[in-house]
Amino acid sequence: MFAYVVAAVFLALFGAGVLRDRRRFSNAVYLGLAVTFLCLGLLAGLADAPPGVAVTATVVVLLVLALGPVALAGLLCANGVKMVRKEGRRPSNLLSLLAGLGIFGVMGLMAAAVVSHSKTLAIVVGTLLMVLGYVSFLFLCFIGYAFLYGRMRIRRDADYVVVLGSGLIGGRRVPPLLASRLERGRQVYETLAERREVDRIPVLLTSGGRGPDEEIPESHAMADYLVERGFPADRIVREDRSRTTEENMLFSKALMEAERPGAECVIVTNNFHAFRAALMARKAGVNGQVVGSPTAAYFWPSATMREFAAVFLEYRAVNLGICLALVLMGCLAYVLA
């Protein structure tokens, strides 16, 4: 019963957080804690369940705990190989492969600790598992809430649709990743335009400056892409100074405020980037909801890990402090042993 009460408290905090502002990472944590305590309550309730149900549930839980990490590591390694083959050997493309190898490495350390009966190695493994448990919990919170955030209804009163840039091919051409954002931006624009009065038709704002290897600003190539496909040129505004997502938000906000003070917007990026972009929009003071465009399935794991790492480091004081506390607990256990 206690676990259910705690789960209900965190669920209430989650609901209040969403009503206050959907773009808070604390919402993800509250949701994760609510689900965690709910699961603990269900597991505790197995003691009162019929014998057949209790045995079946116990076997399922044990199989998931035993085989889940192996299956996950294998899938991550396979995805990592595919990423390298399709996208090249850049460090950001190696994340899923490294994560899979890391899981296998931890399982190897656990096996070595059991076989060697080494107290030192057991404490090291235990400390590592505590740190990885904390990081994994936050990661699950991140992807769980990002999934929910990406499926929230698009606001109906936006004045702007802001499409974020992502780099060009050959210095001038829009790549498929960016094209998916532009097509999603067009869909959002058309949906909003159908709901608005003639004098308040929304504006589509392409946001992206000129990179060191680009011949023209990304926003210009994005606007040209849309116009060539029939989008009205007079409904496009170009923000051509930004180099980062933070600058996308700040410079786009300045353009929107200059034209329509207090303007609200829908920001379009790829689905793996949507929740982090929402956190950035809130930090920059942009009154906007973020929606995602489709991304190739093989690209999603590494991209999501990269996004989570950036959010984790955004709150580095708290997260690294907790990780350090867990390491110190391990050191204390070693001293006492």
Side-chain angles (χ1 to χ4, degrees):
M1 179 61 71
F2 174 76
Y4 291 130
V5 171
V6 176
V9 170
F10 281 120
L11 187 61
L13 290 173
F14 166 72
V18 171
L19 291 175
R20 183 170 64 251
D21 194 331
R22 300 173 179 177
R23 306 167 301 170
R24 290 175 177 267
F25 189 69
S26 57
N27 296 337
V29 176
Y30 289 144
L31 179 61
L33 289 170
V35 173
T36 298
F37 279 98
L38 177 61
C39 291
L40 290 175
L42 293 173
L43 289 175
L46 289 177
D48 301 323
V53 175
V55 171
T56 302
T58 301
V59 170
V60 170
V61 171
L62 292 177
L63 285 175
V64 169
L65 293 176
L67 301 180
V70 177
L72 177 61
L75 291 173
L76 286 172
C77 288
N79 175 259
V81 172
K82 188 171 185 177
M83 275 291 294
V84 171
R85 189 169 66 248
K86 286 183 170 289
E87 303 290 336
R89 298 182 180 180
R90 291 179 298 175
S92 61
N93 295 334
L94 300 175
L95 289 178
S96 57
L97 177 60
L98 293 176
L101 294 175
I103 293 173
F104 280 128
V106 172
M107 289 190 291
L109 282 176
M110 293 173 64
V114 172
V115 172
S116 65
H117 302 288
S118 169
K119 291 185 178 180
T120 300
L121 186 56
I123 291 174
V124 170
V125 171
T127 303
L128 181 60
L129 288 176
M130 287 193 297
V131 174
L132 290 177
Y134 172 71
V135 175
S136 298
F137 169 75
L138 290 182
F139 182 68
L140 291 174
C141 291
F142 176 80
I143 60 176
Y145 186 69
F147 177 83
L148 292 178
Y149 182 87
R151 281 151 183 78
M152 293 180 179
R153 179 179 296 181
I154 297 175
R155 63 194 313 167
R156 302 187 177 190
D157 53 352
D159 299 293
Y160 287 87
V161 178
V162 181
V163 183
L164 305 184
S166 67
L168 304 176
I169 295 176
R172 300 188 66 89
R173 292 186 292 114
V174 170
L177 192 75
L178 184 52
S180 72
R181 297 185 184 186
L182 291 167
E183 294 300 334
R184 177 65 165 143
R186 178 206 290 269
Q187 293 173 4
V188 174
Y189 174 90
E190 292 173 349
T191 299
L192 293 175
E194 291 175 355
R195 301 169 177 168
R196 304 298 296 272
E197 299 175 358
V198 175
D199 60 340
R200 295 292 291 178
I201 294 178
V203 174
L204 192 147
L205 192 156
T206 55
S207 179
R210 179 180 176 183
D213 58 345
E214 295 172 342
E215 299 177 18
I216 59 175
E218 294 171 10
S219 60
H220 292 204
M222 294 160 69
D224 293 343
Y225 174 94
L226 290 170
V227 171
E228 289 170 3
R229 287 157 179 78
F231 194 90
D234 62 338
R235 306 311 303 167
I236 298 177
V237 173
R238 310 178 186 194
E239 181 286 298
D240 57 8
R241 296 187 296 150
S242 57
R243 299 288 186 88
T244 64
T245 303
E246 291 86 352
E247 290 183 352
N248 284 142
M249 301 297 180
L250 292 171
F251 296 157
S252 296
K253 177 186 176 184
L255 288 176
M256 291 186 289
E257 288 291 332
E259 180 66 23
R260 300 182 183 181
E264 299 177 348
C265 66
V266 175
I267 301 166
V268 181
T269 184
N270 285 92
N271 49 16
F272 64 82
H273 187 233
F275 183 42
R276 180 175 166 230
L279 298 176
M280 293 182 184
R282 177 178 175 272
K283 184 177 180 181
V286 177
N287 186 8
Q289 174 190 0
V290 182
V291 300
S293 64
T295 307
Y298 75 86
F299 195 83
W300 188 88
S302 288
T304 301
M305 281 187 262
R306 185 173 65 246
E307 295 295 305
F308 169 72
V311 173
F312 184 89
L313 293 176
E314 178 70 21
Y315 301 95
R316 64 177 65 86
V318 174
N319 290 325
L320 295 182
I322 292 176
C323 290
L324 178 60
L326 294 174
V327 171
L328 292 176
M329 288 174 59
C331 293
L332 179 61
Y334 178 77
V335 172
L336 295 177

